[in-house]
Amino acid sequence: MKWKVAVPGGLSSPIVAGDNLVLTAFDGGKLYTIAYRRADGKEAWRADAGAKQIEPYYKPEGSPAASTAATDGERIVSYFGSCGLFCYDRAGRELWRHELPLAETMAGFGSGVSPIVADGLAVLVRDVMQDPKIMACDLSSGALKWETKRQSPTSFCTPVVWDTPEGKQIAAPGFNKMVGYDLQSGEERWFVEGMPSSICA
């Protein structure tokens, strides 16, 4: 073992971003994106999301810091159901934030979806009881590029990007069906019914 350090609570997976490992955490009632140096495990930086309220979550096994961050190698995007999307550079400087209302999920389980980064976009599926949608923000500016309504009141799925003959699409499972969206426009291209009512793929 090269090193081992204690970290705050959370359920995200660490990601590699340059010389750091980055994860999300819930500590002392606050939500953070935290970077640790790959060389020795020392904390490099910590960014407070500044959540005004913490979303309901399943306290025995859950966490309001359940989402894994995403990176294009230069920018790091974090999501918290309590407050929204955040983008940092590799030194921990906040580049932009896209605030969102408190997530309300079925039975108060809490958010279980992570953002993805593809072709200069930060894409987020937000399947919540009120106003479920999939959205994409420009990775450089944080400006909302597109937003498409969904009919999925709750799911816990991180979408994937795949190449098709018609261009890149996002496959996003959800309540009862999986839907394919055009990556650049957010337009729905196809769907497959028969998904579970509470999908956690």
Side-chain angles (χ1 to χ4, degrees):
M1 182 181 295
K2 189 171 182 181
W3 53 260
K4 180 171 71 172
V5 296
V7 299
L11 292 176
S12 69
S13 296
I15 64 167
V16 176
D19 294 329
N20 293 329
L21 298 173
V22 179
L23 50 77
T24 59
F26 183 52
D27 189 23
K30 294 184 178 182
L31 294 165
Y32 296 99
T33 302
I34 308 177
Y36 296 89
R37 296 192 330 203
R38 291 169 59 193
D40 55 18
K42 290 183 179 178
E43 187 172 315
W45 54 265
R46 173 182 298 222
D48 183 356
K52 298 177 179 65
Q53 188 177 353
I54 301 299
E55 68 172 314
Y57 66 98
Y58 185 56
K59 290 179 172 58
E61 297 179 13
S63 172
S67 300
T68 295
T71 184
D72 65 348
E74 296 298 327
R75 301 173 187 85
I76 298 157
V77 177
S78 301
Y79 169 67
F80 299 102
S82 300
C83 46
L85 275 171
F86 299 81
C87 182
Y88 306 95
D89 65 16
R90 290 194 305 185
R93 181 172 63 94
E94 184 178 309
L95 302 176
W96 54 263
R97 64 173 60 196
H98 186 93
E99 294 184 352
L100 291 164
L102 193 77
E104 296 182 28
T105 56
M106 187 179 297
F109 278 113
S111 299
V113 63
S114 300
I116 60 173
V117 168
D119 289 3
L121 297 174
V123 181
L124 177 71
V125 173
R126 191 169 155 94
D127 284 351
V128 290
M129 301 298 290
Q130 302 292 329
D131 192 27
K133 59 190 173 185
I134 181 172
M135 55 186 286
C137 291
D138 182 271
L139 194 56
S140 297
S141 67
L144 183 66
K145 184 165 184 183
W146 55 258
E147 180 179 286
T148 303
K149 299 289 185 185
R150 280 170 60 82
Q151 297 176 334
S152 180
T154 291
S155 75
F156 308 93
C157 284
T158 298
V160 296
V161 176
W162 66 309
D163 285 304
T164 78
E166 291 76 34
K168 289 186 180 180
Q169 296 181 359
I170 303 165
F175 186 94
N176 188 46
K177 66 182 180 180
M178 179 163 61
V179 183
Y181 303 91
D182 182 87
L183 175 61
Q184 292 304 318
S185 69
E187 181 180 349
E188 184 175 322
R189 295 296 191 189
W190 54 267
F191 66 86
V192 178
E193 293 185 323
M195 297 291 108
S197 58
S198 184
I199 188 162
C200 306

